[in-house]
Amino acid sequence: MAKTNAGRFFEDYHVGQTLTHAVPRTLSGGERALYHALYPARHALYSSDSFAQGCGLAVAPLDDMIAFHTVFGKTVPDVSLNAVANLGYGEGRWLAPVWPGDTLTAQSEVIGLKQNSNGKTGVVWVRTTGRNQHGADVLTYVRWVMVRKGDLDAAAPETVVPELAQVVAHDTLVIPEGLTFDGYDFALAGEPHRWSDYQIGEQIDHVDGVTVEEAEHMMATRLWQNTAKVHFDTSARPDGSRLIYGGHVISMARALSFNGLANAQMVVGLNAGAHANPCVAGDTVRAWSEVLDKAETSAPGVGAIRLRLVATKGGDPFVLRGADGKYAPDVLLDLDYWALMPI
């Protein structure tokens, strides 16, 4: 009797299925140090206990993307071990800060299925929830993945495509308890630009670029315990390359956005996201942003800003799609998110 696990294939999923993911992960300052070593992450709220205390928090929480990557990594063996591509994200909300010492677990529910016309693959939609050691939800999001069929003769399931909100409503965003930007120190944060300085439709070129190295992206993927074959095994892709984990591109672009958006301190909502083109070692990641919306919140001095974050591997900034409506070939990531910023 086989004791190893080859992962689930498309025919192994059914709508309503609950997937409880191994293995619980206790996070510490070590993950923060490694995160800041891998990415040029400098947002002050996540870098300094004293700065966070000046904003009403007990200590600096761990970076929002540490929580995302940790929860995402838990799901890979059950959701995307046999994936062809991770297609998109939606309805994401950060529900509570993750503090050093917290232990995260993850669970997913299958909410949609659609076999592709080639009969070899299908799309699986899951809603994933990350929880801490107290059973409190810290993160929830939907993602959809193209997964191989293991048995090409398996019958196609009934098609169920979930209806997802295009935008997380600003009045459902969760503001961490006690957070205030009334006494915010702009000098220590790194830039003077506040929520009221940004205009809807404004575009920001983040200027800097980082060339992705083979070793660092593999270290990052191991850090998040992401076991997808395409990130490690050169035989898993026809061209023999290792595909860069999409979350690595997200964190790189978010860190690069500091130059121009240093005060977009906390990511609290994920409206939509797509990995437009593959990223491989040697690509130089650059980023630009567009302000899509703004909203006030109930927290003192805290505004919500909706941003489109686009990562590219070259080309002109502010070019998202070609004349055919498809993503431009240099676009790696198109991410639509809400962040908290001092008013």
Side-chain angles (χ1 to χ4, degrees):
M1 181 177 178
K3 293 193 170 54
T4 54
N5 175 23
R8 288 178 170 85
F9 293 91
F10 179 70
E11 65 270 20
D12 297 322
Y13 297 96
H14 61 267
V15 173
Q17 184 177 11
T18 297
L19 308 172
T20 299
H21 308 298
V23 173
R25 175 75 176 266
T26 301
L27 299 170
S28 71
E31 279 79 9
R32 191 202 310 272
L34 283 169
Y35 187 88
H36 289 202
L38 288 164
Y39 313 106
R42 291 180 286 159
H43 287 88
L45 195 70
Y46 295 117
S47 299
S48 164
D49 285 346
S50 61
F51 189 94
Q53 288 159 1
C55 296
L57 303 180
V59 295
L62 295 178
D63 297 66
D64 36 61
M65 289 304 168
I66 290 179
F68 178 81
H69 295 323
T70 300
V71 171
F72 185 102
K74 303 293 102 194
T75 73
V76 169
D78 300 308
V79 176
S80 48
L81 196 64
N82 294 305
V84 177
N86 190 45
L87 299 177
Y89 309 96
E91 294 191 352
R93 292 193 304 147
W94 279 256
L95 303 171
V98 174
W99 311 101
D102 279 353
T103 297
L104 300 188
T105 57
Q107 189 173 74
S108 297
E109 179 186 0
V110 179
I111 61 172
L113 293 170
K114 182 180 185 295
Q115 181 165 303
N116 291 326
S117 58
N118 63 11
K120 299 178 180 179
T121 59
V123 180
V124 181
W125 285 261
V126 297
R127 186 182 302 278
T128 296
T129 301
R131 297 184 177 92
N132 63 22
Q133 68 275 21
H134 306 296
D137 295 350
V138 300
L139 171 68
T140 181
Y141 63 92
V142 173
R143 73 166 169 135
W144 46 106
V145 186
M146 187 185 302
V147 180
R148 294 181 180 87
K149 290 185 72 173
D151 177 5
L152 298 183
D153 296 325
E158 178 184 356
T159 296
V160 176
V161 178
E163 292 187 15
L164 302 176
Q166 291 186 337
V167 179
V168 176
H170 64 82
D171 57 0
T172 67
L173 300 174
V174 177
I175 313 300
E177 185 177 354
L179 184 70
T180 174
F181 288 156
D182 272 351
Y184 191 89
D185 191 324
F186 287 88
L188 289 179
E191 287 181 350
H193 317 303
R194 58 178 71 228
W195 181 87
S196 55
D197 295 327
Y198 292 87
Q199 305 302 316
I200 295 173
E202 180 178 355
Q203 293 179 315
I204 303 159
D205 180 0
H206 298 301
V207 182
D208 305 311
V210 174
T211 302
V212 178
E213 302 291 344
E214 192 83 80
E216 70 180 17
H217 92 82
M218 293 183 67
M219 179 184 292
T221 311
R222 291 190 184 104
L223 175 63
W224 313 124
Q225 298 179 326
N226 182 332
T227 57
K229 300 180 180 74
V230 292
H231 302 319
F232 297 110
D233 185 348
T234 57
S235 69
R237 284 170 51 83
D239 64 358
S241 67
R242 299 180 181 94
L243 184 69
I244 305 298
Y245 163 47
H248 193 69
V249 178
I250 291 174
S251 278
M252 193 66 73
R254 160 73 172 156
L256 290 171
S257 75
F258 180 92
N259 191 348
L261 286 167
N263 296 315
Q265 288 289 352
M266 304 189 81
V267 175
V268 289
L270 178 58
N271 301 304
H275 297 291
N277 288 292
C279 182
V280 297
D283 287 342
T284 297
V285 178
R286 302 185 185 278
W288 58 269
S289 292
E290 180 181 1
V291 180
L292 299 179
D293 201 359
K294 296 166 65 179
E296 296 183 2
T297 78
S298 59
V302 178
I305 186 167
R306 181 184 168 199
L307 299 162
R308 161 171 273 149
L309 174 61
V310 178
T312 73
K313 55 179 178 179
D316 297 328
F318 315 133
V319 175
L320 184 65
R321 298 180 185 273
D324 57 3
K326 296 181 180 179
Y327 283 112
D330 286 330
V331 172
L332 299 171
L333 170 73
D334 180 11
L335 196 74
D336 178 342
Y337 70 100
W338 285 104
L340 301 182
M341 179 179 280
I343 290 177

